[in-house]
Amino acid sequence: MQQLIVRGDPGIRKDAVIDYDGEEQVCFSIQRQGDYHGPDEVQLWCTIGTPDEREAFEKRQYVPHWLGVDSVDADALDVIAPRGRQ
C-alpha cells in the first residue's frame, strides 16, 4: 500500500483500477486537492494497493504517515477501469 499523487485528473474515482509500476493497483481512497486555492492543475492524492490489501485498508491496519509517496502526471497513468470493475 502507498500514497500516489496524480498531477491532473485522469478521470479516476474511488475503486478505480490502474496499472502502476507494472502491477494492477486499486485506488482505495482519493482526495481531490487544489480546486480552489491550489496549483494550476488539480491533484489527486490516492491511497493505492493490491486487491489483497483491501481488508487491511478497511480495518485501518496501517499507519498513513509511514506509507511511501510517489507522484505521477495524469498523462502517464495507465487507467484500466476508471470507477472500479463492474
Side-chain angles (χ1 to χ4, degrees):
M1 199 175 328
Q2 72 178 49
Q3 289 282 358
L4 180 66
I5 300 173
V6 181
R7 293 180 300 274
D9 188 356
I12 60 174
R13 298 298 175 253
K14 182 179 174 186
D15 294 328
V17 180
I18 60 173
D19 182 12
Y20 184 70
D21 276 345
E23 188 175 350
E24 252 186 40
Q25 303 279 333
V26 178
C27 296
F28 298 134
S29 73
I30 297 178
Q31 291 107 19
R32 191 175 173 94
Q33 307 289 331
D35 274 331
Y36 300 104
H37 302 292
D40 292 337
E41 61 184 0
V42 70
Q43 292 180 348
L44 301 180
W45 293 21
C46 310
T47 303
I48 65 171
T50 58
D52 59 335
E53 292 176 314
R54 179 172 290 283
E55 184 177 354
F57 173 78
E58 289 175 353
K59 291 183 176 182
R60 304 284 189 232
Q61 295 174 335
Y62 67 100
V63 179
H65 298 294
W66 293 350
L67 294 177
V69 178
D70 283 333
S71 64
V72 66
D73 289 327
D75 300 340
L77 191 66
D78 295 327
V79 178
I80 297 171
R83 297 181 190 269
R85 295 186 190 247
Q86 299 180 14

